[in-house]
Amino acid sequence: QQQVKQSPQSLIVQKGGISIINCAYENTAFDYFPWYQQFPGKGPALLIAIRPDVSEKKEGRFTISFNKSAKQFSLHIMDSQPGDSATYFCAASISGSRLTFGEGTQLTVNP
Amino acid sequence: SAVISQKPSRDICQRGTSLTIQCQVDSQVTMMFWYRQQPGQSLTLIATANQGSEATYESGFVIDKFPISRPNLTFSTLTVSNMSPEDSSIYLCSVGRLAGSTDTQYFGPGTRLTVL
């Protein structure tokens, strides 16, 4: 199976709060899990990525948590800011080949 | 990373016509991909553009509808042929297998296509 399931579809968070987006996959051959951020009218921009040999990766306010046994990974945005309001996509690939994307989460951070 | 440009950035086309989208990268890259993003939707891979050979198409996409060229390691084109309103989407070029970041894919700004 090549699907990646993402939830929630939309998320509203207050400024300073924590935004959490979850993804689940079926194909155990996936070995690379990136998150992309997309603003309206722009192409997706790589935010952070993780490999399955690591359970957590943090870059600034963004953290990926990875649970290999559950085949799930999540994005946590700490101290969420209005400028973080965008659509977020999780994805997965095998050895840098084609990306399989989740359905996307529209995040709104209220001031 | 890589700097990726796409032309045109947007276009409005008539039904039955064709549009060719260009993707230019500022460095040689191993892999180039073309994705489609329908309004409010996620990204779907159309094909992998192979340098010097025919593109590899995903299920549901065919060469007659989406011919792709990749004459060298920095340039590719995607043509949307015999367009219908259902082809209205954002078309995105991405590159991968860069030296030092073999798994990472970077995306261009996209081409927003509206078919009337």
Side-chain angles (χ1 to χ4, degrees), chain B residues 1 4 11 13 17 27-28 38 47 51 54 65 74 80 83 92 105 114:
Chain B
S1 64
I4 306 165
D11 207 341
C13 300
T17 63
S27 59
Q28 294 185 343
Q38 294 180 304
Q51 192 266 330
E54 191 171 286
K65 176 68 175 177
T74 64
V80 186
M83 288 183 285
L92 294 145
Q105 283 190 32
T114 302

Side-chain angles (χ1 to χ4, degrees), chain A residues 50-55 66 68:
Chain A
I50 198 168
R51 300 179 193 281
D53 56 345
V54 176
S55 61
F66 188 85
K68 187 174 181 178

Side-chain angles (χ1 to χ4, degrees), chain B residues 5 37 41 47 52 62 68:
Chain B
S5 60
Q37 185 175 27
Q41 302 295 314
V62 295
I68 289 171

Side-chain angles (χ1 to χ4, degrees), chain A residues 10-105:
Chain A
S10 63
L11 180 62
I12 299 175
V13 174
Q14 291 301 119
K15 178 181 176 181
I18 301 174
S19 303
I20 302 174
I21 305 170
N22 301 298
C23 285
Y25 64 97
E26 290 294 326
N27 189 345
T28 55
F30 285 140
D31 60 5
Y32 178 70
F33 302 88
W35 285 88
Y36 286 87
Q37 178 188 57
Q38 186 177 32
F39 293 103
K42 304 290 186 182
L46 179 67
L47 196 59
I48 187 172
I50 198 168
R51 300 179 193 281
D53 56 345
V54 176
S55 61
E56 185 175 284
K57 183 175 181 180
K58 182 177 181 179
E59 290 184 1
R61 296 185 293 111
F62 302 93
T63 300
I64 299 179
S65 297
F66 188 85
N67 186 330
K68 187 174 181 178
S69 61
K71 292 185 287 186
Q72 295 175 347
F73 59 110
S74 60
L75 175 69
H76 295 233
I77 306 175
M78 312 300 289
D79 187 25
S80 299
Q81 300 296 313
D84 296 330
S85 297
T87 302
Y88 293 80
F89 294 97
C90 64
S93 72
I94 302 171
S95 300
S97 64
R98 62 188 302 284
L99 283 168
T100 299
F101 281 87
E103 297 89 341
T105 297

Side-chain angles (χ1 to χ4, degrees), chain B residues 21-95:
Chain B
I21 302 168
Q22 299 180 0
C23 177
Q24 179 73 55
V25 190
D26 68 341
S27 59
Q28 294 185 343
V29 295
T30 303
M31 303 197 76
M32 295 181 78
F33 306 90
W34 286 98
Y35 290 82
R36 181 175 73 182
Q37 185 175 27
Q38 294 180 304
Q41 302 295 314
S42 186
L43 288 80
T44 301
L45 181 65
I46 297 172
T48 302
N50 301 308
Q51 192 266 330
S53 65
E54 191 171 286
T56 304
Y57 289 85
E58 297 297 307
S59 176
F61 297 96
V62 295
I63 187 170
D64 289 346
K65 176 68 175 177
F66 298 101
I68 289 171
S69 77
R70 189 178 174 192
N72 56 53
L73 293 176
T74 64
F75 185 79
S76 178
T77 66
L78 167 74
T79 298
V80 186
S81 304
N82 189 25
M83 288 183 285
S84 66
E86 292 71 33
D87 295 319
S88 297
S89 290
I90 300 171
Y91 291 85
L92 294 145
C93 166
S94 78
V95 301

